[in-house]
Amino acid sequence: MASTSSTKLGDERPRAVGRPVPLRASAMQAAAEGAPSAPRHKADRSGEDRDENGATFPIDVAIADKSPLILAGLEALLADDRRFNLVLKVTDGEEFLDAAKLQRFQIAIIGWQLPTLHAREVLRALSRQPSAPKIVVYSGTNDPAAPAETLQLGGAGFVSKRAPPERLLDVLASVAAGDMVFPFVDIRKMRADPLENLTLRERSLLSALGSGHTNNQLAKDFGVSINTIKFHLRNLFEKLEVRNRAQAIALFLEMKHGSWTAATPGGRAESAGARGKKASRD
């Protein structure tokens, strides 16, 4: 069983959606129309409780997942626990970010492979917000780098969908108390530099690629044949673990603008483009 690390987390808060209607509003509208309300809320929410770690309950929680079955299961799970109050549920990352603009909640549970916006993009967007909810990624992905990426991008926790449901509730409570909860992550491997194994010529070549130079222009600039340029490009792509020029440029731009964060468990860099080619399950 993987060990769990726990460290203190500051109170950060993100944004959310406009199209989805917050759960409480949906319930009020349904009641006014005489229809059964969609969200399930606890019968008695008067007063606040505190746990031994000082967390104040109930905690307002939002969920975003592409699977209606997962959404229904999480809604039922949270409804049976008096510590949590489900206030929002949406099916994709863009809706989640839009909804967070209109409604405040302390914690959000999101899937890794969200439609429209991947969890990476959601976390990046929230990291630029002065006050954002704490994010717990709940995923069945086979990508071993996902927990490390979540940590690097500012997430508060990561829970596998293969874990017992009680595990998710425990993590939510710990995050509410100010902790970060992740499976074991080797910090040294997260710091791998994709440029460390490149020669000076390969670094210059990567920079020229990022400027949009064609193979003919590269051959002229470096005073070599096109075949020599192609040889260097193959070596460059292999060292960066990308498949083509577009992925190499994407990685270069991520590093240039300081947004590159990912590393594989073996410590090797993996670009956003290369990761997009790999099949994963959420």
Side-chain angles (χ1 to χ4, degrees):
M1 181 174 179
S3 59
T4 301
S5 60
S6 178
T7 56
K8 289 296 179 183
L9 172 70
D11 186 13
E12 304 174 4
R13 304 203 130 195
R15 348 182 296 157
V17 170
R19 279 175 313 220
V21 180
L23 295 184
R24 288 187 183 124
S26 299
M28 293 174 62
Q29 181 179 1
E33 296 174 353
S37 61
R40 298 170 53 189
H41 295 285
K42 285 71 174 177
D44 182 9
R45 305 295 296 185
S46 59
E48 292 183 339
D49 299 320
R50 290 181 179 271
D51 71 352
E52 65 275 11
N53 296 320
T56 301
F57 296 106
I59 300 294
D60 286 340
V61 179
I63 54 178
D65 197 281
K66 66 183 181 182
S67 168
L69 182 61
I70 294 296
L71 288 175
L74 289 176
E75 182 176 354
L77 182 69
L78 295 172
D80 290 337
D81 193 317
R82 292 177 59 85
R83 295 174 297 175
F84 307 107
N85 182 40
L86 180 61
V87 297
L88 176 77
K89 60 176 183 178
V90 294
T91 57
D92 68 61
E94 186 176 3
E95 285 184 327
F96 173 75
L97 285 179
D98 288 344
K101 298 174 187 175
L102 304 177
Q103 186 172 1
R104 291 293 182 181
F105 41 85
Q106 292 137 293
I107 297 176
I109 307 166
I110 69 172
W112 184 241
Q113 293 284 351
L114 289 174
T116 311
L117 283 181
H118 192 281
R120 295 186 192 98
E121 301 307 316
V122 171
L123 288 166
R124 287 191 182 106
L126 294 178
S127 69
R128 297 189 289 267
Q129 301 307 309
S131 67
K134 299 173 183 178
I135 303 297
V136 174
V137 172
Y138 184 54
S139 174
T141 180
N142 291 321
D143 182 357
E149 286 191 69
T150 300
L151 175 60
Q152 289 175 307
L153 292 170
F158 187 97
V159 181
S160 170
K161 287 179 178 176
R162 290 178 284 274
E166 294 76 18
R167 172 63 180 162
L168 177 61
L169 296 175
D170 290 343
V171 169
L172 292 177
S174 294
V175 168
D179 291 342
M180 297 173 66
V181 186
F182 289 86
F184 175 76
V185 173
D186 191 336
I187 301 298
R188 296 169 299 176
K189 294 175 181 177
M190 293 166 55
R191 296 172 182 159
D193 181 1
L195 300 181
E196 63 183 358
N197 294 323
L198 300 186
T199 65
L200 181 60
R201 170 59 61 90
E202 289 166 345
R203 289 173 185 248
S204 299
L205 190 58
L206 179 60
S207 179
L209 282 178
S211 299
H213 290 195
T214 65
N215 283 359
N216 286 332
Q217 290 174 312
L218 293 174
K220 183 177 180 180
D221 292 342
F222 288 92
V224 297
S225 70
I226 290 182
N227 286 336
T228 299
I229 289 297
K230 291 180 179 179
F231 171 80
H232 285 305
L233 287 177
R234 283 195 298 269
N235 289 338
L236 178 63
F237 296 167
E238 182 177 354
K239 289 182 179 181
L240 294 179
E241 296 187 339
V242 299
R243 298 183 181 182
N244 52 44
R245 174 190 297 259
Q247 292 178 8
I249 292 173
L251 178 58
F252 171 79
L253 294 176
E254 286 184 34
M255 293 184 292
K256 182 178 179 180
H257 297 295
S259 60
W260 181 85
T261 54
T264 67
R268 295 169 297 179
E270 184 174 37
S271 74
R275 286 193 304 266
K277 297 293 184 180
K278 296 183 178 180
S280 57
R281 177 172 56 85
D282 188 55

